[in-house]
Amino acid sequence: LSGPALAKLVQCSGCTCRRANAPDDMTLGTWLQTLGVPIVHEEGFHQSEPHNYHPELLANLEPPVSFHRFAVRLPRESSEEQLAKARRENWHDWVQRHFARPQ
């Protein structure tokens, strides 16, 4: 976010989350649109896990920037460290299965 965009968000009295589990990216996009802040669509951001996209689509795009879900299911009492480790392992697996370029 640019400094001016961030300043608009900080000053916005109507920019509040509707609920604790509201999708943060969609909420932020709504706020920015309401505030008149231009939003750029980036092809590298994906809403779901790699296996939910056609392999040809992923093979012909620039390297991905982000996937919103990490498909990590651990017990609720798992520590942040355990979650982070599982997410890193899952990401490494995705890279090998979905994004490894042929040699």
Side-chain angles (χ1 to χ4, degrees), residues 82-97:
Q82 290 170 313
L83 286 169
K85 181 178 185 272
R87 288 177 178 139
R88 280 191 306 273
E89 289 170 354
N90 199 25
W91 177 253
H92 179 73
D93 180 54
W94 286 356
V95 169
Q96 296 304 310
R97 277 193 293 142

Side-chain angles (χ1 to χ4, degrees), residues 1-9 32 37-38:
L1 290 173
S2 68
L6 187 56
K8 284 186 176 186
L9 278 174
L32 293 172
V37 175

Side-chain angles (χ1 to χ4, degrees), residues 9-68:
L9 278 174
V10 169
Q11 295 169 2
C12 179
S13 62
C15 297
T16 57
C17 292
R18 289 176 277 165
R19 57 188 192 283
N21 64 348
D24 54 348
D25 58 334
M26 302 300 284
T27 302
L28 186 58
T30 300
W31 296 342
L32 293 172
Q33 187 173 31
T34 300
L35 295 169
V37 175
I39 301 172
V40 176
H41 178 73
E42 168 54 55
E43 293 289 332
F45 288 100
H46 302 284
Q47 288 288 109
S48 194
E49 298 93 347
H51 64 268
N52 290 314
Y53 295 92
H54 194 281
E56 287 184 29
L57 174 70
L58 296 176
N60 291 299
L61 291 176
E62 290 296 318
V65 174
S66 169
F67 286 91
H68 290 20

